[in-house]
Amino acid sequence: MKKRRTMFLTDFIANQYPIEKFKEIIFVTLDIVENFLLTLESGFDYNSVSIASYGEKYGSSQRNTHSKVESICIKNMQTQEKMTEFLESYFDAYRSLNQDEKNIFDATFIDKLTDLEIIEKYNTHSKQIRTVRKSAIVRFCLRAGLDKFVDKI
């Protein structure tokens, strides 16, 4: 059996997905997760660095929620059970990322750092960041089932 060269998706595989649309969907998903946690009065005891730092950094600001994806999800998830299912799929997708992918995912989507800031923070190079970011984006979106919303953006 062949051993994998790297624990990340190759650029050949990752580039077959609409990365830019996946990025938009991830930002919308983070807004939905925050809204659902607030709606459910943070009744979940998740220990996610992602949501903790997201809520700490962006919890007080109001964003424009005119996204088709967000309105579809929120309209279809009015019950506590549906919101819980969505949150579970988010946290399951986040947990499925390896540590490097989580770090770059958080730096990109939560902290909104530039590539230069990420390079300094993790002492790496831009090609590695791009590879890890693409891998994290594709794995997260596919695991969370967000790929079905690509045509809505």
Side-chain angles (χ1 to χ4, degrees):
M1 185 174 205
K2 260 185 157 178
K3 190 174 180 181
R4 286 188 60 128
R5 291 181 302 155
T6 177
M7 55 203 219
F8 309 112
L9 296 177
T10 64
D11 283 343
F12 176 77
I13 299 297
N15 288 336
Q16 294 183 36
Y17 292 94
I19 300 294
E20 291 305 314
K21 287 188 178 189
F22 277 1
K23 284 181 183 179
E24 290 180 50
I25 292 171
I26 289 171
F27 282 118
V28 169
T29 300
L30 290 173
D31 286 342
I32 292 171
V33 167
E34 181 185 21
N35 288 335
F36 285 177
L37 287 174
L38 290 173
T39 300
L40 297 172
E41 297 178 353
S42 300
F44 295 91
D45 189 22
Y46 291 110
N47 190 10
S48 170
V49 174
S50 174
I51 290 300
S53 63
Y54 183 79
E56 200 177 293
K57 190 164 187 167
Y58 302 107
S60 63
S61 64
Q62 294 293 323
R63 294 194 51 184
N64 186 353
T65 57
H66 287 68
S67 165
K68 288 181 185 179
V69 175
E70 190 166 359
S71 62
I72 288 170
C73 285
I74 292 174
K75 283 180 188 174
N76 291 335
M77 298 185 190
Q78 294 298 321
T79 67
Q80 189 170 2
E81 181 180 315
K82 296 275 187 181
M83 288 181 196
T84 304
E85 274 180 39
F86 185 84
L87 290 171
E88 288 293 337
S89 71
Y90 167 82
F91 288 107
D92 179 53
Y94 185 77
R95 281 189 299 266
S96 73
L97 302 177
N98 64 47
Q99 191 57 49
D100 290 336
E101 289 173 332
K102 285 179 185 177
N103 291 341
I104 300 300
F105 185 90
D106 289 344
T108 301
F109 297 106
I110 308 303
D111 300 331
K112 296 184 181 181
L113 300 178
T114 65
D115 282 357
L116 291 176
E117 292 170 326
I118 296 171
I119 288 169
E120 289 176 17
K121 183 174 181 176
Y122 293 107
N123 195 22
T124 186
H125 52 86
S126 61
K127 184 174 187 211
Q128 180 69 14
I129 290 171
R130 285 192 304 271
T131 300
V132 174
R133 182 184 295 129
K134 284 180 185 178
S135 180
I137 288 169
V138 171
R139 286 184 187 189
F140 179 82
C141 286
L142 294 179
R143 182 71 181 239
L146 300 175
D147 54 319
K148 62 187 168 207
F149 295 112
V150 167
D151 61 334
K152 306 289 185 204
I153 296 231

